[in-house]
Coordinates of all heavy atoms in Angstrom, one line a residue:
G46 N -4.4 3.2 5.0 CA -5.1 3.5 3.8 C -5.8 2.3 3.3 O -5.3 1.1 3.5
D47 N -7.0 2.4 2.8 CA -7.8 1.3 2.3 C -7.2 0.7 1.0 O -6.3 1.3 0.4 CB -9.3 1.6 2.2 CG -9.5 2.7 1.1 OD1 -8.6 3.2 0.6 OD2 -10.7 2.9 0.8
N110 N -6.2 6.3 8.9 CA -4.7 6.5 8.5 C -4.3 7.8 9.0 O -3.3 8.4 8.5 CB -4.5 6.3 7.0 CG -5.2 7.3 6.2 OD1 -6.0 8.1 6.7 ND2 -4.9 7.4 4.9
K111 N -4.9 8.3 10.1 CA -4.5 9.6 10.7 C -4.3 9.5 12.2 O -5.2 8.9 12.8 CB -5.5 10.7 10.3 CG -5.6 10.9 8.8 CD -6.4 12.1 8.4 CE -6.3 12.2 6.9 NZ -6.7 11.0 6.1
T172 N -1.2 -3.3 1.6 CA -0.9 -1.9 1.1 C -0.7 -1.9 -0.4 O 0.0 -2.8 -0.9 CB 0.3 -1.3 1.8 OG1 0.7 -0.2 1.0 CG2 1.5 -2.3 1.8
I173 N -1.2 -0.9 -1.1 CA -1.0 -0.8 -2.5 C 0.5 -0.5 -2.7 O 1.0 -0.7 -3.8 CB -1.8 0.3 -3.2 CG1 -1.5 1.7 -2.6 CG2 -3.3 0.0 -3.0 CD1 -2.1 2.8 -3.5
D174 N 1.2 0.0 -1.7 CA 2.6 0.4 -1.8 C 3.6 -0.9 -1.9 O 4.7 -0.8 -2.4 CB 3.1 1.3 -0.7 CG 2.2 2.5 -0.5 OD1 1.5 2.9 -1.5 OD2 2.2 3.1 0.6
M216 N 0.8 6.6 -7.0 CA 1.0 6.5 -5.5 C 2.1 5.5 -5.2 O 2.5 4.7 -6.1 CB -0.3 6.2 -4.8 CG -1.2 7.3 -4.6 SD -2.6 6.7 -3.6 CE -3.6 8.2 -3.5
G217 N 2.4 5.4 -3.9 CA 3.4 4.3 -3.5 C 4.3 4.8 -2.4 O 5.2 4.1 -1.9
R218 N 4.1 6.0 -2.0 CA 5.0 6.6 -1.0 C 6.5 6.4 -1.4 O 6.8 6.6 -2.5 CB 4.7 6.1 0.5 CG 3.3 6.6 1.0 CD 3.2 6.6 2.5 NE 4.0 7.5 3.2 CZ 3.7 8.8 3.4 NH1 2.6 9.3 2.9 NH2 4.5 9.6 4.0
L223 N 4.8 0.0 -7.1 CA 3.6 0.2 -7.9 C 3.9 0.8 -9.2 O 3.4 0.3 -10.3 CB 2.6 1.0 -7.0 CG 1.2 1.1 -7.5 CD1 0.6 -0.2 -7.9 CD2 0.3 1.7 -6.4
E269 N 5.2 8.9 -6.9 CA 4.9 10.2 -6.2 C 6.1 10.8 -5.4 O 6.2 12.0 -5.3 CB 3.7 10.1 -5.4 CG 3.8 9.1 -4.2 CD 2.5 9.0 -3.4 OE1 1.6 9.7 -3.7 OE2 2.5 8.2 -2.5
K287 N 1.8 15.1 8.9 CA 2.2 13.9 8.1 C 2.8 14.4 6.7 O 2.3 15.4 6.1 CB 1.0 13.1 7.8 CG 1.3 11.7 7.3 CD -0.1 10.9 7.2 CE -0.2 10.2 5.9 NZ -1.5 9.5 5.7
V289 N 3.0 14.5 3.0 CA 2.0 14.1 1.9 C 2.7 14.3 0.6 O 3.3 15.4 0.4 CB 0.7 15.0 2.0 CG1 -0.3 14.5 1.0 CG2 0.1 14.9 3.4
Y290 N 2.6 13.4 -0.3 CA 3.1 13.5 -1.7 C 2.0 13.9 -2.7 O 0.8 13.8 -2.4 CB 3.8 12.2 -2.1 CG 5.0 11.9 -1.2 CD1 5.0 10.7 -0.5 CD2 6.1 12.7 -1.2 CE1 6.1 10.4 0.3 CE2 7.2 12.4 -0.4 CZ 7.1 11.2 0.4 OH 8.2 10.9 1.2
H316 N -6.7 7.9 -6.1 CA -7.2 6.9 -5.2 C -8.0 5.8 -5.8 O -8.5 4.9 -5.1 CB -8.1 7.6 -4.1 CG -7.3 8.4 -3.1 ND1 -6.7 9.6 -3.4 CD2 -7.1 8.2 -1.8 CE1 -6.1 10.0 -2.4 NE2 -6.3 9.2 -1.4
R319 N -6.7 2.6 -4.8 CA -7.1 2.0 -3.5 C -8.5 1.5 -3.5 O -8.9 0.6 -2.9 CB -6.9 3.1 -2.4 CG -5.5 3.6 -2.3 CD -5.1 3.7 -0.8 NE -6.0 4.5 0.0 CZ -5.7 5.6 0.7 NH1 -4.5 6.1 0.6 NH2 -6.6 6.2 1.4
Ligands
F6P87 O1 -0.1 4.1 1.7 C1 -1.1 4.1 0.8 C2 -1.2 5.5 0.1 O2 -2.2 5.4 -0.9 C3 0.1 6.0 -0.5 O3 0.5 5.4 -1.7 C4 -0.2 7.5 -0.6 O4 1.0 8.3 -0.5 C5 -1.0 7.7 0.7 O5 -1.6 6.4 1.0 C6 -2.1 8.7 0.4 O6 -2.8 8.8 1.6 P1 -4.0 9.8 1.8 O7 -5.2 9.2 1.2 O8 -4.1 10.0 3.3 O9 -3.6 11.1 1.1

Side-chain angles (χ1 to χ4, degrees):
D47 63 352
N110 64 352
K111 298 192 174 55
T172 165
I173 65 165
D174 307 338
M216 283 185 179
R218 290 200 71 82
L223 189 46
E269 60 183 358
K287 193 175 132 184
V289 183
Y290 297 117
H316 284 73
R319 299 225 309 242

